[in-house]
Amino acid sequence: MKTIEIPRPDDWHLHLRDGAMLEGVAPESARHFARAIIMPNLVPPVVTKADAEAYRGRILAALPQGSDFTPLMTLYLTEGTDAADVADAFTSGVATAVKLYPAGATTNSHSGVRDLGKVMGVLETMAEIGMTLCIHGEVTDPAVDIFDREKVFIDTVLDPLRQRLPELRITMEHITTKDGADYVAGAVKNLAASITTHHLMINRNAILAGGIRPHYYCLPVAKRELHRLALRKAATSGDARFFLGTDSAPHVDPMKECGCGCAGIFTATNTMACLAQVFEEENALEKLANFASLNGPAWYRLPVNGEKLMLTRHDEPVEFPSHIQTGAGRVTVFDPMTPVYWSVEA
Ligand code: DOR
Ligand code: ZN
């Protein structure tokens, strides 16, 4: 048996939902992570400082007794967002970032942005105060193939935006392509990217080959193998611009296993063990801390967590629960489809 120790990790992209689902999934993230950037795509979305304060209160109330997990709040950017409220939320410490969903790109994104021109005032304010914009980087044009939507977004939306407002700090969230990894690695400043655990472990065959498997469907959708390999290279490189954002996104099983299933993979329960497996396979265990514990805080200008997380490598594969039971219903846990020999020490 072998153990490794890393500073307690953070999750720079997490869906905690609300109500009974929040109560069911919050402990799963709080067990291993010290902080997480919380996605604002509730119904209705978390748009204002007041919304974020109220939601943060509900998250804190859902945590297990004694948990010191810190939710870092984001504001959902709409075409009606008030720049002064955003600035106030940031300077008062209520919100860490703003989230841009192109309207219609994913779950609960219909209040998102159709015309970037309408939010330029907010983005200019954010650039001035050093507040980060987290972007779901996919175009929504039905004419663009779903597997090309990230690359087309980079070429037609992200790159022009960065040229227009080079001082704006942007996190390209959950990148899924070699194009995304190359674009971020080629940027001189003010650009970083989060990568999910599942996009390091599965390619699109998991969803479609040998039967349709809805629990592997998420957005951006997993791409072909060459992209997964490029993401692995970026994540394990130690490059400070790449860090973990799990995009753990719970939906109850009936919403996944139906004629038009929701996008989202729930990984909070086993994501750190899976990640250790990936880094071991890449002979890069010494870079796990960079990806999961160091690069994110450096980008978001926060201190590294003081406590440690210990991971153990076993001789036999570890079994994870196939699902968790929440008050909202049963949620399937990500099955990495490959043996994982790692577990997190309690
Ligand atoms: O797969 C996804 N699920 N991608 C997203 O962007 C949203 C998320 C969700 O909220 O379920
Ligand atoms: Zn997400």
Side-chain angles (χ1 to χ4, degrees):
M1 280 211 322
K2 165 178 170 181
T3 63
I4 58 167
E5 207 177 61
I6 61 171
R8 197 160 158 220
D10 302 302
D11 183 349
W12 301 99
H13 182 127
L14 176 65
H15 297 269
L16 284 180
R17 316 299 191 204
D18 217 341
M21 181 64 93
L22 167 63
E23 287 186 15
V25 300
E28 299 298 299
S29 287
R31 193 174 298 131
H32 299 157
F33 293 99
R35 298 170 291 203
I37 287 216
I38 309 300
M39 287 299 119
N41 62 334
L42 305 182
V43 187
V46 179
V47 175
T48 64
K49 177 190 176 191
D51 294 341
E53 274 181 308
Y55 185 32
R56 182 170 66 181
R58 299 198 295 279
I59 295 169
L60 294 174
L63 293 172
Q65 277 276 314
S67 169
D68 61 354
F69 178 82
T70 303
L72 302 170
M73 308 310 292
T74 57
L75 303 179
Y76 185 120
L77 185 59
T78 73
E79 293 183 358
T81 289
D82 173 16
D85 182 65
V86 168
D88 181 25
F90 182 63
T91 50
S92 63
V94 171
T96 300
V98 168
K99 175 71 187 239
L100 165 64
Y101 286 107
T106 187
T107 312
N108 302 335
S109 62
H110 34 268
S111 319
V113 175
R114 283 180 175 77
D115 175 2
L116 259 190
K118 297 212 171 110
V119 296
M120 279 315 288
V122 177
L123 301 184
E124 280 160 11
T125 298
M126 290 171 60
E128 273 163 33
I129 62 179
M131 187 179 193
T132 302
L133 180 68
C134 295
I135 297 187
H136 183 109
E138 289 191 287
V139 292
T140 54
D141 180 352
V144 178
D145 190 277
I146 190 164
F147 292 103
D148 299 333
R149 288 181 180 188
E150 182 170 298
K151 171 157 174 45
V152 174
F153 183 89
I154 293 168
D155 296 342
T156 63
V157 183
L158 181 58
D159 196 58
L161 173 62
R162 291 185 59 241
Q163 288 184 28
R164 184 163 168 192
L165 207 51
E167 295 311 318
L168 180 63
R169 296 163 51 80
I170 295 176
T171 307
M172 176 81 176
E173 301 214 272
H174 43 51
I175 55 168
T176 59
T177 57
K178 179 172 188 306
D179 311 276
D182 289 347
Y183 184 73
V184 172
V188 177
K189 63 169 190 172
N190 290 339
L191 185 64
S194 64
I195 303 178
T196 76
T197 303
H198 50 276
H199 286 114
L200 298 171
M201 298 193 89
I202 60 159
N203 63 31
R204 63 196 195 177
N205 285 2
I207 314 164
L208 295 169
I212 188 153
R213 293 190 204 83
H215 293 291
Y216 295 96
Y217 171 61
C218 67
L219 289 170
V221 70
K223 308 295 190 297
R224 50 171 79 240
E225 178 66 355
L226 77 88
H227 296 291
R228 185 183 75 103
L229 297 178
L231 297 175
R232 280 194 165 217
K233 201 166 159 215
T236 58
S237 66
D239 186 326
R241 290 168 297 187
F242 298 103
F243 44 80
L244 174 64
T246 67
D247 200 10
S248 180
H251 293 277
V252 292
D253 284 351
M255 299 297 285
K256 296 284 297 172
E257 300 166 0
C258 58
C260 183
C262 293
I265 301 181
F266 178 68
T267 55
T269 306
N270 57 357
T271 206
M272 286 309 301
C274 288
L275 209 52
Q277 183 67 35
V278 167
F279 277 68
E280 181 185 39
E281 287 168 9
E282 296 295 319
N283 290 315
L285 274 174
E286 78 286 356
K287 295 285 176 21
L288 179 60
N290 300 72
F291 183 68
S293 315
L294 304 177
N295 296 348
W299 170 246
Y300 283 102
R301 299 171 169 157
L302 292 166
V304 172
N305 297 308
E307 321 87 72
K308 305 281 181 201
L309 188 84
M310 198 140 84
L311 293 127
T312 302
R313 204 231 188 245
H314 305 266
D315 295 333
E316 299 296 328
V318 174
E319 297 278 337
F320 299 103
S322 61
H323 64 273
I324 63 163
Q325 197 60 52
T326 75
R330 202 178 109 123
V331 175
T332 292
V333 174
F334 175 61
D335 171 356
M337 289 179 143
T338 182
V340 169
Y341 291 88
W342 292 84
S343 68
V344 177
E345 291 305 292

